């Protein structure tokens, strides 16, 4: 079955960097687009970024554009999110999600918590 | 681009039906049949319940149904059960220049 496992979260100071990973299994990773979605503590879901199946196109929310970079390594079945210039408002649980039919996010990982604090 | 608008809370008794609305614009909900709905229990990851406005993924109960009229999409839960108590979020593809996808504000469903 589809499995997505995020890692790389932790506590980082404002202005710092962090790289999240999402290890995928149970499906042909190289055939599907992938999302990052985040959820601040006690808040709703916020779409962060999307990358096409072959990495040819990448899209970002305005709130992270220029600071975050989504990438993938299809040979390792792994999705990444490089986060630079982190701010307190980036504190959230970060989920990776597999693209499904009709642009829906068909499967989600368990999430990894990123805390930006001095 | 603002989040899609959902009621903060909806409640119902076991066995009843409830409907959650999701209001957007012609640039998202009204412009595309790419509305999806997600269920999230506390401390858990979201789960896809409806895609493409009204389609259920395999394994999702047929008590969940979706529809759309104009710029407003709706999720109906019939035969409400205790395990349906959760947060629900709608989402839509958007032609906004600042986003590719937008989520709703979220609705807390309480089973009385």
């Amino acid at each position: 079955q589809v499995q997505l496992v995020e890692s790389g979260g932790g506590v980082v100071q404002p202005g710092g960097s962090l790289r999240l990973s999402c290890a995928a299994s149970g499906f042909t990773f190289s055939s599907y687009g992938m999302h990052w979605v985040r959820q601040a503590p006690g808040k709703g879901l916020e779409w962060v970024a999307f990358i096409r199946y072959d990495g040819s196109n990448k899209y970002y929310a305005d709130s992270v554009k220029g600071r975050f970079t989504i990438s993938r390594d299809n040979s390792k079945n792994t999705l990444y999110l490089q986060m630079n210039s982190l701010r307190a408002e980036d504190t959230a649980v970060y989920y990776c999600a597999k693209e499904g039919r009709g642009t829906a996010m068909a499967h989600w990982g368990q999430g990894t918590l990123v805390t930006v604090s001095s | 681009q603002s989040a899609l608008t959902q009621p903060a809370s909806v409640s119902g008794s076991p066995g009843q039906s409830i409907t959650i609305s999701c209001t957007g614009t012609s640039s998202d909900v009204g412009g595309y049949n790419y509305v999806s709905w997600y269920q999230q229990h506390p401390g858990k990851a979201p789960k896809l319940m409806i895609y493409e406005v009204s389609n259920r993924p395999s394994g999702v109960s047929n008590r969940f149904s979706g529809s759309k009229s104009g710029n407003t999409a709706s999720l109906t839960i019939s035969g409400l059960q205790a395990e349906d108590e959760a947060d629900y979020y709608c989402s839509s593809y958007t032609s906004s220049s600042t986003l590719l996808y937008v989520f709703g504000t979220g609705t807390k469903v309480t089973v009385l």
Side-chain angles (χ1 to χ4, degrees), chain A residues 79-92:
Chain A
L79 174 73
Y80 302 101
L81 186 68
Q82 177 66 44
M83 304 186 295
N84 298 331
S85 303
L86 283 162
R87 307 166 179 166
E89 54 264 36
D90 295 319
T91 294

Side-chain angles (χ1 to χ4, degrees), chain A residues 24-108:
Chain A
S25 61
F27 65 102
T28 305
F29 181 71
S30 58
S31 297
Y32 291 89
M34 296 292 295
H35 297 269
W36 285 101
V37 175
R38 68 184 180 183
Q39 186 170 35
K43 302 296 184 182
L45 300 172
E46 179 187 15
W47 174 78
V48 172
F50 173 76
I51 185 169
R52 293 207 184 277
Y53 69 98
D54 59 357
S56 60
N57 293 92
K58 305 173 185 181
Y59 305 86
Y60 300 93
D62 253 18
S63 56
V64 307
K65 199 172 293 183
R67 300 187 299 123
F68 289 13
T69 301
I70 189 172
S71 62
R72 64 191 298 159
D73 186 337
N74 285 346
S75 68
K76 294 182 178 179
N77 290 347
T78 302
L79 174 73
Y80 302 101
L81 186 68
Q82 177 66 44
M83 304 186 295
N84 298 331
S85 303
L86 283 162
R87 307 166 179 166
E89 54 264 36
D90 295 319
T91 294
V93 174
Y94 284 74
Y95 296 99
C96 63
K98 169 184 169 287
E99 179 184 40
R101 291 181 59 180
T103 76
M105 296 161 200
H107 297 90
W108 298 63

Side-chain angles (χ1 to χ4, degrees), chain A residues 35 37 39 43-47 50 59-62 65 95 99 101-106 108-111, chain B residues 33-36 38 40 44-48 50-52 89 91 93 97-105:
Chain A
H35 297 269
V37 175
Q39 186 170 35
K43 302 296 184 182
L45 300 172
E46 179 187 15
W47 174 78
F50 173 76
Y59 305 86
Y60 300 93
D62 253 18
K65 199 172 293 183
Y95 296 99
E99 179 184 40
R101 291 181 59 180
T103 76
M105 296 161 200
W108 298 63
Q110 85 289 349
Chain B
N33 286 326
Y34 290 143
V35 176
S36 49
Y38 303 89
Q40 187 180 34
K44 300 295 186 182
K47 174 187 176 183
L48 177 65
I50 295 287
Y51 67 93
E52 291 177 323
Y89 295 90
S91 178
Y93 172 83
S97 61
T98 59
L99 287 173
L100 194 61
Y101 299 98
V102 60
F103 281 99
T105 50

Side-chain angles (χ1 to χ4, degrees), chain B residues 76-94:
Chain B
T76 297
I77 309 174
S78 58
L80 201 61
Q81 298 181 0
E83 62 258 35
D84 299 333
E85 184 162 298
D87 293 324
Y88 291 82
Y89 295 90
C90 61
S91 178
S92 174
Y93 172 83
T94 173

Side-chain angles (χ1 to χ4, degrees), chain B residues 22-77:
Chain B
C22 169
T23 302
T25 69
S26 57
S27 295
D28 38 65
V29 174
Y32 307 92
N33 286 326
Y34 290 143
V35 176
S36 49
W37 289 90
Y38 303 89
Q39 176 192 64
Q40 187 180 34
H41 287 107
K44 300 295 186 182
K47 174 187 176 183
L48 177 65
M49 304 302 285
I50 295 287
Y51 67 93
E52 291 177 323
V53 177
S54 59
N55 295 299
R56 278 187 311 276
S58 173
V60 171
S61 170
N62 60 8
R63 298 186 298 103
F64 292 83
S65 61
S67 62
K68 189 184 81 166
S69 178
N71 295 336
T72 298
S74 299
L75 174 71
T76 297
I77 309 174

